[in-house]
Amino acid sequence: MIENSKNTKYIWLSAAIFLSLIPLMTRGDNYIMHTIISIAFNVGMATSMWLLWTLGFISFAHAGFMGIGAYTSAVFLLKFGWPFWATFLMGSFVTAVVAVIISLPLMRTRAVYFFMASWAVGEVIKRVFAYFKGTFGGWNGIFDINPPE
């Protein structure tokens, strides 16, 4: 764990500079950039799950919440023509609002009941996306999403 010292801000600054230089280091190779972005998303998911596990909860609703953000971004991008970065922020905002609304009653449960309730939330979210084929593409999902410019 990084201690709270004067060097901490330099460590974070170095990490930010390194991460911002990754596109230059990959020289525009789409495969490498796709791999790095996929790793970053999975690190974010793993970190959020680790945080819950350290609190003593085992949640299976994470994938559903990630799907809410992804589908929100895709729908605003493709159906409403919003710019990519606006849809990225909108997906984050909608996911946060839905997660707070769902998690407030969910956090009152304990032990195996929290596990079962979070699994049920994940399944309901998945089934909602599968049911609305016109909006979310059903079980196949949404295709033909252009990369950001």
Side-chain angles (χ1 to χ4, degrees):
M1 176 89 52
I2 298 174
E3 294 182 20
N4 201 1
S5 67
K6 292 180 181 180
N7 293 332
T8 304
K9 63 182 172 185
Y10 296 116
I11 292 171
W12 283 109
L13 181 63
S14 300
I17 290 171
F18 174 75
L19 291 174
S20 64
L21 292 176
I22 286 177
L24 296 175
M25 291 186 289
T26 61
R27 297 183 185 149
D29 187 358
N30 288 337
Y31 175 75
I32 294 173
M33 282 303 295
H34 174 74
T35 304
I36 291 171
I37 291 169
S38 296
I39 289 170
F41 276 130
N42 287 315
V43 165
M45 275 295 274
T47 304
S48 64
M49 288 187 76
W50 170 81
L51 178 63
L52 269 177
W53 287 0
T54 58
L55 297 173
F57 296 105
I58 299 174
S59 174
F60 283 97
H62 271 72
F65 292 136
M66 187 176 177
I68 289 173
Y71 276 115
T72 300
S73 295
V75 166
F76 275 95
L77 182 73
L78 295 177
K79 307 276 186 202
F80 301 122
W82 284 28
F84 173 79
W85 294 108
T87 64
F88 185 78
L89 294 174
M90 183 56 82
S92 301
F93 176 74
V94 169
T95 302
V97 169
V98 171
V100 166
I101 291 169
I102 290 174
S103 65
L104 287 175
L106 198 67
M107 293 301 286
R108 295 179 150 269
T109 62
R110 296 285 177 246
V112 72
Y113 302 108
F114 178 80
F115 167 80
M116 292 184 332
S118 69
W119 175 75
V121 166
E123 285 296 312
V124 167
I125 292 170
K126 179 176 74 172
R127 300 292 172 162
V128 166
F129 290 142
Y131 181 75
F132 292 104
K133 294 177 183 153
T135 307
F136 303 119
W139 291 109
N140 296 326
I142 298 175
F143 290 97
D144 298 329
I145 301 173
N146 294 327
E149 296 177 8

